[in-house]
Amino acid sequence: MKDQPIILFDGVCNLCNGAVNFVIKKDKKSRLKLGAIQSEQGQDLLKNYGLSTSEMNTFIFIENEKAYTRSIAALKVSKYLGGLWPMFYGFIIVPKFIRDGIYNWIAKNRYNWFGRKDQCMMPTPEVRQRFL
């Protein structure tokens, strides 16, 4: 698992679940592993990287044994997707305070705009091996 990048996401967030489904479709080579922040494995990884186990306002991208959050995490994920999505990594030139400001605004409002589930999503049998 150390060699494979991991996305940890808020498993009850509808926006996050939609993003995970998008990643599953666009990561045709199945290079990314996925896991809910709320899962036991997700909580263990957060502890290992010194991240909060109670805050759900960002997703975490773990690559080469380093954890990334907020906009940098999203930009790093884009490099693993098919089509033109890797070009989005070019937005790394936008100052972090602007990128993260937009990210934080969306994260703060995501439950109001997109809703939330009562429990984490259960992956279908076809994609279960992609999850932690």
Side-chain angles (χ1 to χ4, degrees):
M1 193 164 67
K2 284 186 177 184
D3 297 345
Q4 199 166 11
I6 301 169
I7 297 172
L8 295 177
F9 63 97
D10 180 354
V12 298
C13 169
N14 286 336
L15 173 62
C16 303
N17 281 291
V20 165
N21 288 328
F22 177 81
V23 166
I24 289 168
K25 283 186 204 171
K26 298 297 181 184
D27 177 21
K28 302 226 185 272
K29 296 180 182 176
S30 299
R31 295 183 288 177
L32 301 170
K33 279 285 205 192
L34 305 157
I37 289 172
Q38 296 90 340
S39 71
E40 184 179 334
Q41 299 94 334
Q43 290 288 298
D44 287 345
L45 284 166
L46 292 174
K47 288 174 192 169
N48 288 344
Y49 286 96
L51 298 169
S52 172
T53 57
S54 60
E55 286 187 40
M56 303 293 163
N57 60 358
T58 185
F59 80 96
I60 292 86
F61 182 64
I62 301 170
E63 178 186 52
N64 297 323
E65 298 189 37
K66 185 168 182 189
Y68 301 93
T69 62
R70 305 195 190 294
S71 64
I72 187 67
L75 292 173
K76 286 194 168 279
V77 167
S78 73
K79 296 191 311 184
Y80 288 88
L81 306 179
L84 298 176
W85 290 103
M87 291 176 53
F88 276 87
Y89 191 75
F91 283 104
I92 197 76
I93 65 170
V94 174
K96 184 179 183 335
F97 77 93
I98 294 172
R99 288 182 295 149
D100 281 352
I102 294 167
Y103 184 97
N104 291 338
W105 176 66
I106 293 169
K108 180 181 170 186
N109 292 291
R110 73 189 188 278
Y111 292 146
N112 292 332
W113 295 341
F114 301 97
R116 63 184 290 162
K117 300 175 182 305
D118 293 330
Q119 56 189 2
C120 294
M121 72 178 270
M122 291 299 298
T124 63
E126 301 85 50
V127 297
R128 192 162 290 148
Q129 74 277 2
R130 306 272 313 267
F131 284 78
L132 299 175

